[in-house]
């Protein structure tokens, strides 16, 4: 007795769920690297006292739901030149010319230096262009398709376990302008609270005195 049937229909992939998962893992990886760097033993100096080793006691993540500044201008230019039906962009020379032209035409970005354009704007535009070819026009939106603040809060216990940290807070750039200047969709700004971590010998000495 043989039943001829195909695989069950899996339906369309949930891109928001997929993007949310990638977002969380990206945040964990980035923050873990920053904590490791902050807590790394200080380099010994030839002269002067040895710098104290630091310990991270709290992490604040500031999320932004919308791009601003030169990133927003670049995304708007990318959207205009993207052929969604064919999933293509103009040739490289035309592509770069259109991006630079958009920067020059915008009051906020026309003062960018050549170094900024070469080191920041064009790499971002090319990286996003390649993502759009693979994933479609959604990645060109100036607003995040993921509610990043909600996603991080919903997965806060996992993030704390992954980072071996207890004090992690999530705030929105709209309510915390000072810490949110560097944040943009997919890339929260990270603020680490650090204190001096005394050497093990000193901890043992303090413990003995207290006892």
């Amino acid at each position: 007795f043989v039943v001829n049937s195909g695989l069950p229909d899996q339906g369309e992939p949930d891109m928001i769920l997929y993007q949310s998962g990638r977002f969380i893992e990206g945040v964990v990886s980035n923050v873990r690297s920053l904590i490791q760097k902050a807590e790394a033993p200080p380099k010994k100096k030839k002269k002067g006292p040895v710098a104290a080793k630091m310990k991270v006691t709290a992490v604040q993540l500031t999320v932004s739901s919308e791009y601003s500044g030169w990133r927003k201008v670049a995304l708007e230019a990318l959207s205009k030149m993207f052929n969604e039906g064919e999933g293509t962009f103009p040739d490289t020379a035309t592509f770069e010319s259109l991006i630079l032209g958009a920067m020059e035409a915008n009051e906020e970005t026309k003062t960018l230096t050549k170094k900024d354009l070469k080191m920041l704007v064009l790499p971002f535009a090319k990286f996003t262009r390649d993502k759009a070819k693979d994933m479609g026009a959604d990645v060109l939106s100036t607003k995040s398709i993921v509610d990043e603040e909600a996603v991080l809060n919903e997965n806060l216990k996992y993030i704390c376990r992954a980072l071996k940290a207890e004090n992690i807070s999530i705030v929105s750039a709209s309510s915390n302008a000072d810490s949110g200047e560097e944040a943009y969709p997919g890339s929260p700004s990270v603020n680490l609270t650090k204190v001096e971590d005394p050497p093990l010998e000193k901890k043992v000495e303090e413990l003995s005195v207290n006892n």
Side-chain angles (χ1 to χ4, degrees):
F1 178 71
V2 178
V3 176
N4 294 320
S5 62
L7 293 172
D9 184 11
Q10 299 295 322
E12 290 295 321
D14 188 333
M15 289 304 296
I16 293 181
L17 182 62
Y18 171 73
Q19 292 282 25
S20 297
R22 289 193 61 182
F23 169 66
I24 292 170
E25 294 308 318
V27 168
V28 168
S29 177
N30 180 46
V31 176
R32 181 185 289 123
S33 296
L34 292 174
I35 291 176
Q36 289 174 346
K37 183 177 180 180
E39 295 184 339
K43 294 181 180 179
K44 293 183 179 180
K45 297 180 180 179
K46 293 182 179 179
K47 297 181 180 180
V50 178
K53 186 177 183 296
M54 305 302 289
K55 179 177 179 59
V56 174
T57 59
V59 179
Q60 178 179 280
L61 301 175
T62 304
V63 298
S64 177
S65 61
E66 187 171 1
Y67 287 94
S68 60
W70 61 264
R71 291 186 181 89
K72 182 175 182 179
V73 176
L75 287 169
E76 289 172 344
L78 285 163
S79 295
K80 290 177 181 178
M81 67 176 86
F82 183 48
N83 185 327
E84 189 172 358
E86 298 181 3
T88 59
F89 286 89
D91 62 86
T92 300
T94 303
F95 174 84
E96 292 186 359
S97 176
L98 290 170
I99 292 293
L100 296 177
M103 296 295 151
E104 179 66 26
N106 186 278
E107 286 294 323
E108 187 178 358
T109 58
K110 69 179 183 180
T111 56
L112 289 174
T113 65
K114 289 183 178 180
K115 183 178 180 180
D116 290 334
L117 295 171
K118 182 179 180 180
M119 303 300 292
L120 297 175
V121 176
L122 287 178
F124 172 80
K126 291 176 180 178
F127 174 75
T128 309
R129 173 195 63 186
D130 294 340
K131 282 180 64 178
K133 288 179 179 179
D134 292 335
M135 303 176 67
D138 283 348
V139 302
L140 302 179
S141 173
T142 59
K143 294 184 178 181
S144 176
I145 64 172
V146 173
D147 186 341
E148 296 179 4
E149 187 176 3
V151 167
L152 290 175
N153 278 312
E154 288 167 4
N155 293 275
L156 194 55
K157 289 184 179 179
Y158 161 74
I159 296 170
C160 289
R161 288 198 306 271
L163 295 174
K164 298 178 181 178
E166 296 180 359
N167 191 357
I168 300 179
S169 58
I170 317 297
V171 298
S172 170
S174 61
S175 60
N176 196 347
D178 291 339
S179 65
E181 290 181 357
E182 298 301 318
Y184 57 90
S187 181
S189 64
V190 183
N191 181 56
L192 304 178
T193 300
K194 297 174 284 186
V195 297
E196 288 190 11
D197 189 21
L200 180 60
E201 295 83 359
K202 187 173 181 180
K203 291 180 181 177
V204 172
E205 181 182 339
E206 290 176 348
L207 182 61
S208 300
V209 171
N210 292 334
N211 289 339

